[in-house]
Amino acid sequence: MATAGLELVLGALSEGGPAETGTARAMLCAALPHALAPVVVVAQPHPYQLRVLDDVRRALEDLRSAGVEAMGAAASDVKVARSMVAEAEAAMTSATAAVDKAKVMVETLKAHRDELTSKVREAESDLEATEASTQLVIDNRAQVLAELEAARAVVAAVETAETNRTSAPENDASGVLVALLEKRHAEKALIAAAPAALGIPAAARSDFDRFTVQAAMRFVGEVVTSLEETLASGAQQAANAEAERLGSWAILDDERERAAELEARIAAAEGILGDAETSRRAASADVGAKQQALSDKLIAETLAESRLKELARASDAFERLVKPPAPESWEAPTAHLAQAPAVAGEPQVSATAEEPASTQDAAMPDPQEEAQTRAGDEAMTEVTDVAAKVLEAPVRPAPENLSVGGGEPQGSRPRGAAHMQAR
């Protein structure tokens, strides 16, 4: 008998399978070597041994049916896992697209922010220049106004001096008049003659003195008129400068407001980008988990397929074990499987398996029978060793003083396979 075949069968029975049938399968593993013993030496099996072989066959068929179901379930699990991976990858693609879109939005807004920042700086520079020019206009206008007031004061001082003068030649009007003439770059002759002419009372002045005073006052009047015209024209210029300054302020405020709104939009876009990146990381982790689950399901499918193939090999090995080439004088064990009792009980030996007692008693030991007995013992030992190796536990052989069918003394029947054949 091929020990490898027995190892396949015992391994298939002892590994896997429903937990509720584990004890029954363990019993079959323990009984199978004893049931195969007569087959090894081409002897007539006992009905109980045939029943064990039939139970082993049914157990293997049940395991193969369960294996087919497990294979189908594993294939279904793989299909579901692949679908879940596809869904996770689709979600990952969508999350990546959302991140890319958010990045483009942030980059676009930041580029616009650079443009607005430049405009804000330009507006600030324009406002600074406008304020400087406006201040210059205001300062010039204040200076003109001061000069006008000074000129008017000179006129008033001269008029006061002319009205109140008696005979005193000294008065303060000549001094302020000369200062104004000098500042306005009057003719030097007028500057030189005016103080003397102004110091002479009006009744005592000569024609030259009167001409000198009149020329000086006319010059001062022209200065006042010029300053008044300058002040009047400067008023419009000052108003224009102030309007330009206010316009620059408005432009700067508008640019700053737009920049602030843009900063808010950038902050919101960056928040969207952060959320999108978080979603993408979660989607990536989900893809990894789904792929790991798919890998586990593929491994389970491979194991189920391997188990199914192992059971198929074990079934084939079992059939080869119970159907070895038989001599013409012996009927194959499978022929007895149909004759085995369907219900457990006291085993009944078929008529074809029995011999007359007189023939059994008359049988005399001969060398061929003794050799066959030794072969049966050796085969039984080999089967027991294989079973012990597969089951990882010592297998105790059947008691030698008991037969399969009942308890008879050891010396009343031959040992081993010869005993089984003799029955």
Side-chain angles (χ1 to χ4, degrees):
M1 180 186 66
T3 57
L6 180 59
E7 290 179 355
L8 282 175
V9 176
L10 294 177
L13 291 174
S14 59
E15 297 176 3
E20 58 271 16
T21 62
T23 302
R25 286 184 284 107
M27 294 174 63
L28 289 177
C29 288
L32 179 58
H34 302 281
L36 287 174
V39 179
V40 173
V41 293
V42 195
Q44 182 72 28
H46 190 278
Y48 173 75
Q49 293 171 318
L50 296 176
R51 181 59 182 270
V52 169
L53 296 179
D54 188 41
D55 289 342
V56 169
R57 177 179 287 106
R58 285 198 301 268
L60 290 175
E61 290 175 353
D62 291 343
L63 289 175
R64 289 188 67 179
S65 298
V68 171
E69 293 179 0
M71 183 65 187
S76 178
D77 291 344
V78 168
K79 183 178 180 180
V80 172
R82 289 186 188 278
S83 176
M84 296 179 69
V85 168
E87 292 177 359
E89 289 177 345
M92 178 65 181
T93 301
S94 177
T96 301
V99 169
D100 294 339
K101 182 179 179 181
K103 282 183 177 179
V104 171
M105 178 61 68
V106 171
E107 292 172 357
T108 302
L109 292 175
K110 286 185 176 180
H112 190 41
R113 178 175 65 182
D114 294 340
E115 180 182 351
L116 282 183
T117 300
S118 177
K119 288 184 177 180
V120 169
R121 290 175 180 173
E122 290 177 1
E124 290 174 344
S125 178
D126 291 343
L127 176 61
E128 183 178 355
T130 302
E131 287 181 335
S133 62
T134 301
Q135 188 62 42
L136 180 60
V137 171
I138 293 174
D139 292 344
N140 291 338
R141 181 176 173 77
Q143 183 180 358
V144 170
L145 182 60
E147 290 178 355
L148 178 60
E149 295 296 331
R152 287 174 177 173
V154 170
V155 173
V158 171
E159 290 177 350
T160 301
E162 288 292 313
T163 302
N164 298 330
R165 189 185 310 280
T166 56
S167 59
E170 295 86 1
N171 56 77
D172 295 334
S174 61
V176 295
L177 176 60
V178 170
L180 177 61
L181 293 175
E182 290 178 347
K183 184 176 182 179
R184 289 292 177 176
H185 305 290
E187 293 181 1
K188 292 182 179 181
L190 180 60
I191 295 173
L198 189 61
I200 301 173
R205 292 173 184 165
S206 61
D207 292 339
F208 177 77
D209 292 333
R210 286 192 295 271
F211 175 78
T212 301
V213 173
Q214 291 174 356
M217 294 305 293
R218 185 169 57 249
F219 182 84
V220 174
E222 292 175 352
V223 170
V224 171
T225 301
S226 175
L227 290 174
E228 287 177 346
E229 292 176 352
T230 301
L231 189 63
S233 63
Q236 186 61 40
Q237 185 179 5
N240 294 337
E242 182 64 18
E244 186 176 358
R245 185 182 70 84
L246 293 176
S248 296
W249 263 113
I251 292 174
L252 178 59
D253 287 343
D254 182 65
E255 296 297 341
R256 285 176 174 173
E257 184 177 355
R258 292 175 60 192
E261 291 176 355
L262 182 62
E263 289 298 329
R265 292 177 61 189
I266 290 175
E270 288 178 339
I272 293 174
L273 175 60
D275 293 341
E277 289 177 340
T278 300
S279 298
R280 183 175 65 177
R281 287 192 294 270
S284 177
D286 187 52
V287 168
K290 294 298 190 298
Q291 289 177 341
Q292 181 60 48
L294 174 59
S295 177
D296 295 341
K297 299 300 183 184
L298 288 172
I299 292 174
E301 183 183 33
T302 302
L303 293 176
E305 183 180 4
S306 176
R307 171 64 173 170
L308 193 58
K309 291 179 179 179
E310 177 185 354
L311 290 171
R313 290 194 299 269
S315 296
D316 293 341
F318 176 75
E319 296 301 330
R320 288 193 299 270
L321 288 173
V322 299
K323 296 179 181 178
E328 296 180 357
S329 60
W330 177 71
E331 189 176 3
T334 53
H336 294 271
L337 292 179
Q339 304 174 9
V343 181
E346 184 65 24
Q348 301 295 326
V349 182
S350 62
T352 56
E354 295 184 356
E355 294 182 2
S358 59
T359 306
Q360 180 182 0
D361 295 338
M364 297 296 293
D366 57 19
Q368 182 177 1
E369 181 179 355
E370 292 179 356
Q372 191 175 21
T373 300
R374 285 193 300 272
D377 293 340
E378 292 173 357
M380 188 63 189
T381 301
E382 181 181 5
V383 168
T384 303
D385 292 341
V386 171
K389 178 181 178 181
V390 174
L391 299 176
E392 297 182 352
V395 179
R396 185 172 61 184
E400 296 181 354
N401 60 343
L402 294 178
S403 66
V404 178
E408 296 185 9
Q410 178 180 358
S412 62
R413 294 183 180 270
R415 294 178 56 198
H419 160 63
M420 302 297 296
Q421 184 179 20
R423 294 191 62 195

